[in-house]
Amino acid sequence: MARNETAQTQEYFERRSLKKGAAGWPLLMGLGVAYVISGDFSGWNYGIAYGGWLGLAIAFVLMGCMYVCTVLGEAEMSSALPTAGAGFAFSRCAMGRFGGFLTGMAITVEYVCAPAAISTFIANYFLQLGIIPEDFPFLLLVGIIFIVFIGIHVFGVGEALKLMLVITVVGAIALAAFAFGAAPHFDAAALFDIAPDEGATTALPFGVSGLLAALPFGIWFFLGVEGVALAAEEAKDPRRDIPKAIIGSMAVLIGTGLIVLVLAAGVTGSEFMGTSSAPLVDALNIANLPGLALFVNVAGLFGLVASFFSLIYAGSREIFALSRAGYLPTFLSLTGSRKTPWVALLVQGVIGFALVVVMQDGDVLLNMAVLGACLSYVLMNLSHVILRLRQPNMKRGWKTPGGALTTGAGLVLSAIAVVSTFFVDAIASMEIVCVLAVGCVYFFAYARKRLISNAPEEELYKLEGAGQELR
C-alpha cells in the first residue's frame, strides 16, 4: 500500500452507508425531472435579452445536444461504475485521483450554489403570493426553507423522493395547463419583434456575440439532470435503473423546454419576454387568462420546491462520496440510523445559507452553478472517451450509441459552454475558478495524503484495471 493511502475497517463503512434499494427507475426519473423543472418557469427567458428568440432557440438546441451526449455517456458509466460519487468516480477511474477530485469539486459547486439560488426564488414567491407577510425578514425565511427541506431529507431517502415526485407532478401539470391556455394565442411574428443592432438582423438582433451569451440560458432548461447518477447506491438495480431514468427524464425535459420556449414568447413578444420575471404567468395574463395565470403562478412554487429539494439530495450525495473516500474530511460522510448522510446535508445547508447571506443575489449564484456544471461536463465527457479507448472490454450494463464520438461531441459543446459563462458574468465565473483553485491546493497539500484505499471508488478503479494512475 502506498504511503499516502489508508485502509479503513468495516465499521468505518457501516457508519457511512446509504439505504440500498430505496428507489426504482420511476422515482429516479422523477428525480431527474425535479432537478430541472423550476428552470421552465423562469430564468431561461433572460437569454432572449442577450441573443433574441432565435439565439436562445439555437442555444436550446446546442445545449440540449450537449446534455444528450453527456447523459448518454453518463448512463453507460453509471451502469459500469454504480457509486454515489457518479462523475467523481468516473473521472477517478479515467484520469486518476486528481481528475476525480476536480470533477467532484465542480459537481459540488453546482449542487451547492444552485439550491442556494433557488432558495431565494422560493422565498420571493412566498412573499409575492402573500403567503408570508411582506415585512417578514427575507434571510430568516430562506433559513426556514433550508431547515424544513433538509430535515425531510435527514428523515429518510425513500420518503423524501416520494414527496419530491408528488411535488414534481404538480409542476408538470402546471406546464401542461400553460400549454393548453397559451397555444390558441400563439403568434409566430411575435418571436422576432426585437429591433436589431446596427449590422445585425431581426433573426439574430444582437449578432453572434449575443448568441454566445445566450448559451448559458439554454443550459437552464436542463441544468442538474445529470444528478440522477448520484442515486446509484440507493437504486434497486443501478446498472439498469440509472440509464433508464436519466434518458427518460432527459426526453421529458426536451418536451417541456420546447413548450415554454416557443409558446411564451409567441404570446407576449420576444422583447417583453426577455425581461419578464414570471414568463409563463405574464404570457397567460396577456392572453387574458387570469385564473389560469394564478394557478400556474402557485404551481410554479411547486416547481421551485421540487428543484430545491432534489438539488439538496444530489449535493449531499456528492459530498458524501468525496468524504467517504478521503477527498474531503471524513466526518462529512457519516450517516444516521435512517442511512441518510446527515452531516453532509447539514454542512451543505449551512454553506448554501451563507452564500445567500453574502451574495444576496440568486441570479449570480445560479450563474456560478452553471459554470461548475459545465466544467464537470467537460471532465465527464473526457472520462467516457478515455475509458472507451483505454478499457473497451470494461463490463457495461448499457452502452452509449455512437460511443466516444457521442461524448466527444459533448466534450466540444461543454467546452464552448464554459467559455460562454464568462460572457454573462465574468466576475461570478472567476469566483468559481478561485474556489476550485483553493480546492486544488487543499487536495495536494492535505487530502491526497489521507485517501481511503478501500473506498468504493478506489476499489472500482482496481477492479476495472483502469490503467496507470495519473497522479
Side-chain angles (χ1 to χ4, degrees):
M1 184 181 299
R3 288 181 297 172
N4 63 342
E5 293 181 352
T6 301
Q8 288 291 350
T9 63
Q10 183 178 355
E11 181 187 2
Y12 174 89
F13 292 106
E14 287 176 351
R15 297 177 65 197
R16 292 164 174 81
S17 59
L18 300 173
K19 187 176 180 180
K20 309 294 184 183
W25 74 265
L27 270 183
L28 296 175
M29 182 175 165
L31 175 65
V33 174
Y35 283 132
V36 189
I37 195 169
S38 65
D40 286 332
F41 286 91
S42 63
W44 60 268
N45 55 299
Y46 296 128
I48 296 176
Y50 285 90
W53 183 84
L54 182 60
L56 180 59
I58 293 172
F60 175 86
V61 172
L62 290 176
M63 295 300 93
C65 288
M66 178 190 76
Y67 272 93
V68 168
C69 293
T70 301
V71 301
L72 288 176
E74 189 183 33
E76 177 183 314
M77 291 188 290
S78 297
S79 73
L81 306 166
T83 79
F88 150 56
F90 311 151
S91 296
R92 181 346 185 180
C93 282
M95 298 185 289
R97 287 169 170 164
F98 177 62
F101 173 79
L102 188 59
T103 305
M105 280 295 296
I107 294 171
T108 301
V109 164
E110 174 188 0
Y111 289 121
V112 170
C113 290
I118 293 174
S119 71
T120 67
F121 304 153
I122 294 173
N124 281 324
Y125 249 87
F126 274 121
L127 295 172
Q128 290 170 5
L129 290 172
I131 299 173
I132 300 293
E134 290 184 5
D135 59 350
F136 195 89
F138 181 78
L139 290 178
L140 176 59
L141 180 54
V142 170
I144 292 172
I145 291 167
F146 270 104
I147 290 170
V148 169
F149 290 108
I150 285 177
I152 295 172
H153 273 298
V154 171
F155 181 72
V157 61
E159 294 80 0
L161 290 179
K162 289 171 184 175
L163 176 60
M164 179 218 64
L165 181 60
V166 172
I167 296 171
T168 303
V169 168
V170 174
I173 290 172
L175 291 175
F178 164 77
F180 178 80
H185 303 274
F186 172 77
D187 179 4
L191 301 175
F192 304 99
D193 66 347
I194 298 176
D197 288 345
E198 186 176 352
T201 65
T202 53
L204 289 174
F206 309 114
V208 176
S209 62
L211 169 59
L212 286 173
L215 288 179
F217 296 93
I219 290 171
W220 286 15
F221 290 102
F222 309 104
L223 180 67
V225 65
E226 74 284 354
V228 173
L230 293 163
E233 291 186 32
E234 293 158 290
K236 292 180 179 178
D237 185 357
R239 294 184 185 274
R240 293 185 178 182
D241 290 344
I242 297 296
K244 190 182 298 184
I246 200 169
I247 293 169
S249 56
M250 188 66 197
V252 171
L253 294 169
I254 290 172
T256 59
L258 279 172
I259 287 171
V260 299
L261 172 65
V262 174
L263 291 181
V267 172
T268 68
S270 288
E271 185 173 10
F272 178 91
M273 184 52 49
T275 59
S276 172
S277 59
L280 308 191
V281 174
D282 285 342
L284 292 172
N285 279 325
I286 288 174
N288 197 27
L289 297 167
L292 192 56
L294 177 61
F295 169 71
V296 171
N297 197 17
V298 173
L301 178 59
F302 283 81
L304 288 169
V305 168
S307 290
F308 177 81
F309 205 54
S310 55
L311 290 164
I312 287 288
Y313 171 90
S316 65
R317 269 52 181 183
E318 188 67 19
I319 294 170
F320 165 83
L322 286 165
S323 166
R324 181 179 58 184
Y327 291 79
L328 291 178
T330 55
F331 76 89
L332 292 172
S333 52
L334 289 171
T335 54
S337 60
R338 302 187 69 85
K339 297 301 180 183
T340 55
W342 65 273
V343 179
L345 284 162
L346 293 178
V347 170
Q348 182 186 9
V350 169
I351 294 174
F353 180 71
L355 284 172
V356 174
V357 172
V358 172
M359 303 300 293
Q360 297 281 321
D361 191 330
D363 291 338
V364 171
L365 287 168
L366 203 51
N367 286 333
M368 295 164 74
V370 168
L371 177 57
C374 292
L375 287 170
S376 74
Y377 304 155
V378 169
L379 294 167
M380 285 194 289
N381 281 309
L382 180 58
S383 297
H384 180 267
V385 171
I386 290 173
L387 289 174
R388 269 298 185 100
L389 296 175
R390 184 186 295 168
Q391 291 294 316
N393 297 321
M394 175 186 287
K395 186 178 179 181
R396 296 164 167 89
W398 187 87
K399 290 189 176 182
T400 303
L405 290 177
T406 297
T407 44
L411 173 60
V412 172
L413 289 169
S414 54
I416 294 171
V418 168
V419 174
S420 74
T421 62
F422 288 85
F423 281 79
V424 176
D425 193 331
I427 294 176
S429 296
M430 284 306 302
E431 288 172 347
I432 293 304
V433 171
C434 291
V435 168
L436 294 175
V438 170
C440 292
V441 172
Y442 167 80
F443 174 80
F444 285 109
Y446 183 84
R448 72 185 180 95
K449 303 173 185 177
R450 293 167 174 80
L451 301 180
I452 309 302
S453 63
N454 54 340
E457 292 77 17
E458 301 298 309
E459 292 293 329
L460 282 171
Y461 170 81
K462 296 169 188 174
L463 287 173
E464 297 296 344
Q468 179 109 24
E469 182 175 344
L470 307 178
R471 295 184 184 276

